[in-house]
Amino acid sequence: MKLFTIGDSVSQGFMSLGAANTHRSYSTLIAEKLKINNYQYPSWEYQMPANIEDLLRKIEVSFGPDINGVEWPFAINTARKFIDQIEDYYERGPGHEDKKTEGSAPYHNVAIQGFKIADAWQVTPKLCRHIIKNPKDPKQANDNIFRFPHNSFSRIALKVLNPKLDPKYENFSQIGWLQYHAEKEGVENLFLWLGANNALRTIARLNINMTQPGSDPSPMSLSYQEREEKCWNLWHPEHFEEEYRELLTRVNKAMNKNKHKDWKVFIGTIPHITIAPIIKGVGPKTIINTKDGPRVYFKYYTYVPYEEEYVRSGGPHLTIHQALHIDNVITKYNEIIDALIKEQNCKVHNRDAFHLVDISKALSKIAWKRNDGNPTYDFPDYFKFKYPQVNTKFYHADRNGRLKQGGLVSLDGVHPSIIGQGLIAYEFLKVMKANNRASDTDLDWDMIFKNDRLYSEPITIMTDLYQLAQTVKKFVGPILDRYDCENPHESFLNNLVSLPLDQWDGYLERIFGRNYPFKR
């Protein structure tokens, strides 16, 4: 086998809150370039928890580029039907956890959204089935026409790790599958990229709940469910190092049984998540000198599209000191990864088997606001005169279908677009080329830009969505209060669409008036 991938949502091709466009993830783009014809990965009839882009295009087709106030209740009903269809498919239909997945399996890309480091060996199909069958709130399992499938994390993991529901694979983790393929046919190249979710929830919730150094027991000694109950969203470097060393030790052990003797592991670093456009820097800015040079930070960070006034009125936010703390912790993560790579290479007969792919450094150079509007990244030549140009701002297009900003990040404000995935592939190819695993770093950028519909066919209702968000922002607090720390990718929208109908009536009445259309 030429290529195997272990990772989280980015490696899975998670875009716009949906799992997953794996056929356009960085590893698939590289597999296509290297003419690897048998690179197997999951495909999804309906993406979980839901693909926002698909939903917005449905609304766009139905209501056009200019949605007036009285049309919004009808548009919201379209969203309800869309979400209900997904829930029915996975909780009662062909995507049910007890029904086998059609298609090629086992997979060569076993990346799974939401995975933290220890999940690579702790999460198994058996565990996923147990979680699905035993929801914390039994009401989650009921048919609710305004709710996503419950426990989408476990449903996705189950369908990736054991799509055929074969009993002999019920205890196979990501590491288990690596060992299986290494022993059966040999794995020449491994892409390994985990660790971002050990910090990502800080920006999903805009607070910090860090593991405490010296704690006994340590997070790694706890089960998956025990760790989730703690709702930690930032691992202390001490615990990160403990888990990452265990990860590389398990990878090394699996690869040492490899039929392919000249194997290599390409390891991605952890991005500084505070550059993700889902959060917006507001208030006065400050230049901070970091190890990678001067970087711009803001007094507060809150959700797009809100402003400083929203923070001052009590809206959720991070302060500059919290953002710096998160970034400093992640910088330490990457120093740990670099040191552990050197440590592992000493254990593999002193040869260079493990290689660092510094995605964090590349993304920090690409970041728009962090670099005060002057990204320092050296883009491929194709980008230099491509119009409209792309950047890391939150996506926006006008009613005429012209891209105004963004293009590198999908609509969830966290995960890369197809073009963004192309740049990640470009970074991996640089290191592969330096190690004689690729002849060059060329990618079919024409194809990549064309397949990225956010760029090639911009969504025309973004202006209306921003205006609606400004209108309803004072109602966001009660929704955030119902946030579920175990499912940060879906929690906000899940709680929004699953509000009791009497609360929905109140929200819509306050926004559109007492006699709004489509009132119950």
Side-chain angles (χ1 to χ4, degrees), residues 47-192:
Q47 295 185 11
M48 282 190 283
N51 188 309
I52 303 172
E53 182 181 350
D54 288 348
L55 171 59
L56 295 186
R57 292 195 185 280
K58 284 181 178 292
I59 294 174
E60 184 181 48
V61 168
S62 299
F63 300 97
D66 189 358
I67 303 176
N68 60 51
V70 296
E71 289 179 317
W72 271 114
F74 295 99
I76 291 172
N77 189 56
T78 298
R80 291 178 173 183
K81 291 179 179 178
F82 178 82
I83 292 164
D84 184 43
Q85 189 175 34
I86 298 171
E87 186 204 26
D88 281 344
Y89 181 85
Y90 285 106
E91 293 190 1
R92 288 163 290 280
H96 190 270
E97 65 270 16
D98 290 334
K99 295 190 177 182
K100 299 178 181 179
T101 300
E102 299 298 326
S104 300
Y107 300 126
H108 302 157
N109 184 333
V110 292
I112 298 166
Q113 67 95 2
F115 257 43
K116 295 180 288 297
I117 298 167
D119 296 342
W121 63 87
Q122 285 193 340
V123 175
T124 64
K126 182 178 180 180
L127 172 65
C128 294
R129 293 168 70 84
H130 173 77
I131 293 173
I132 295 168
K133 299 291 188 183
N134 299 278
K136 288 193 298 184
D137 180 0
K139 293 180 181 179
Q140 290 181 341
N142 296 338
D143 185 10
N144 187 325
I145 62 173
F146 308 132
R147 191 176 182 88
F148 296 118
H150 73 88
N151 287 316
S152 65
F153 169 89
S154 297
R155 293 178 186 277
I156 291 169
L158 173 62
K159 294 299 185 179
V160 171
L161 295 174
N162 194 4
K164 300 296 185 183
L165 305 182
D166 191 326
K168 68 175 176 284
Y169 301 136
E170 277 293 274
N171 291 308
F172 269 48
S173 62
Q174 287 182 328
I175 298 296
W177 277 115
L178 173 64
Q179 181 172 332
Y180 170 87
H181 288 295
E183 292 180 359
K184 184 177 181 181
E185 55 189 312
V187 174
E188 184 175 344
N189 300 297
L190 169 64
F191 289 164
L192 179 65

Side-chain angles (χ1 to χ4, degrees), residues 383-391 403-407 455:
F383 284 71
K384 292 180 179 177
F385 297 103
K386 184 69 177 176
Y387 184 81
Q389 292 198 328
V390 291
N391 56 49
L403 183 69
K404 305 298 288 185
Q405 64 181 46
Y455 183 89

